[in-house]
Amino acid sequence: MRIGIDLGGTKIEAIAIDGSTVLLRRRIPAPRGDYAATIAAVRDLVAAIERELAATGTVGIGIPGAISPVTGLVKNANSTWLIGHAIDRDLERALQRPVRVTNDANCFALSEAIDGSGAGANTVFGVILGTGTGGGVVVNGRVLEGRHRIAGEWGHNPLPWPNEGERPGPVCYCGQTGCIETFLSGPGLSATYAAESTRHASAVDIASLAEAGDSQAAGALEIYEGRLARALASIINVLDPDVIVLGGGLSNIARLYERVPPLVEPFVFSDSADTPIVPARHGDSSGVRGAAWLWP
Ligand SMILES: [Zn+2]
């Protein structure tokens, strides 16, 4: 049995699987701001699952960040109470077994590569388009972690082939300007719509407005699609994945799958460019499923 845990900012999700069969799912609120309570919550969750199923399992965990290979401590986490802690060692102590911990976007990519929209592909680039812009790379069924454990983190590269209006671009929390995340996250799309219309709406509402015939919402989405296409083209030029799988809230915008691929092609250094860009099969469950699959 494999147990996967997704440590989110607002909730902790758990899954127990046997092969591709889901045995059990759990979801509890995250103890926001409290690291010790987070470790205890994961320990209790695993204990409860194992009691209920009368079996022990391997444990994989997805976190909104990465463990620095230099310090062994969590970095880059928007759940800031995890930052600076040796979460893998603390969880191993609490759970009395080895655990595998990786970034939640890596878990997403792994889940989709194993038995999701990227099943059967050698190289999968998984993209999260949500409050942030994460990414993960899976090659031959294994997460590519990278020397600094940041492989696939495309969100803090600059938006490629920018036009005049996109330079220098918005200031990003990472310290740079014009990062892909500032344009392609949900807040990025909202900012584009606000600039077009002087109205404020969430990314999901903008998609509904566009569908209902709001020309400014449609215009904002058109700008978004062009930017997404350029950003994905730069990934294709480096990694040339067999498939790109989109997850996160904005991946539910159906028109992206029709409109973005033809916009990608002119920026790809190849005589043809037909990389499939597809929605995630497992939706919100991909993170927790991928965490379970961290143990092969
Ligand atoms: Zn940035």
Side-chain angles (χ1 to χ4, degrees), residues 155-157 171-182:
H156 298 279
N157 279 356
V171 173
C172 182
Y173 72 87
C174 77
Q176 300 291 348
T177 53
C179 289
I180 284 170
E181 178 163 305
T182 65

Side-chain angles (χ1 to χ4, degrees), residues 135-162:
V137 179
V138 172
V139 181
N140 294 328
R142 291 190 60 165
V143 171
L144 185 74
E145 295 275 359
R147 179 179 172 89
H148 305 96
R149 312 248 171 93
I150 58 165
E153 287 296 342
W154 67 319
H156 298 279
N157 279 356
L159 184 72
W161 300 282

Side-chain angles (χ1 to χ4, degrees), residues 178-196:
C179 289
I180 284 170
E181 178 163 305
T182 65
F183 294 104
L184 294 186
S185 62
L189 174 57
S190 293
T192 304
Y193 178 63
E196 294 288 294

